[in-house]
Amino acid sequence: NTSTRLNFCSGAKYNDIDDDAKQNALEYRWPNLTTTETTSKEDQIFWGKQYNKHGTCCSELFNQDAYFDLAMDLKDKFDLLTILGKHGIRPGTAHHYSLKIQKAIKS
């Protein structure tokens, strides 16, 4: 939906993930970079925040499990760091123009 920002919708809220395999897959592909792996899996603050902000907007189409599966599939399909690097955008450098980043991803 390009006419609406997909932030903080009214869909179902995050439920902790109990499945160890799912936790491991998320930790590998979508880690919380501000804490340890153990804390990330126990608290699940990062994944909960992401789901509550974005996943709730698609909860009529995808339940929470499907949302995270889709996110991991997209991560596997697109190597975002390589895509950005090919356009001169590298981690740790300031990029004041988000349009440059949007164009790199769109291409």
Side-chain angles (χ1 to χ4, degrees), residues 96-107:
H96 301 287
Y97 299 100
S98 63
L99 186 58
K100 181 177 180 180
I101 295 170
Q102 289 175 4
K103 285 182 178 180
I105 294 169
K106 191 172 184 175
S107 73

Side-chain angles (χ1 to χ4, degrees), residues 9 14 23 28 30 32 45 50 70-71 80-81 86 95:
C9 298
Y14 181 78
Q23 286 182 10
Y28 178 75
W30 201 358
N32 180 347
I45 291 170
Q50 295 305 309
L70 177 61
L80 191 56
L81 287 177
K86 287 180 181 178
H95 298 283

Side-chain angles (χ1 to χ4, degrees), residues 1-27:
N1 183 350
T2 59
S3 65
T4 304
R5 290 191 69 118
L6 300 178
N7 292 330
F8 302 112
C9 298
S10 60
K13 298 301 179 198
Y14 181 78
N15 292 308
D16 279 354
I17 298 167
D18 296 325
D19 182 319
D20 289 340
K22 176 77 78 169
Q23 286 182 10
N24 290 335
L26 279 167
E27 186 61 31

Side-chain angles (χ1 to χ4, degrees), residues 20-76:
D20 289 340
K22 176 77 78 169
Q23 286 182 10
N24 290 335
L26 279 167
E27 186 61 31
Y28 178 75
R29 292 181 184 91
W30 201 358
N32 180 347
L33 300 177
T34 64
T35 189
T36 65
E37 179 177 338
T38 301
T39 300
S40 178
K41 289 178 179 179
E42 288 175 4
D43 297 344
Q44 300 186 24
I45 291 170
F46 175 68
W47 301 325
K49 182 178 178 181
Q50 295 305 309
Y51 184 77
N52 288 334
K53 183 172 183 181
H54 305 294
T56 55
C57 298
C58 64
S59 60
E60 291 182 18
L61 297 173
F62 302 102
N63 65 22
Q64 178 178 306
D65 212 32
Y67 168 80
F68 284 112
D69 287 343
L70 177 61
M72 289 187 288
D73 288 346
L74 288 171
K75 168 76 167 82
D76 292 344

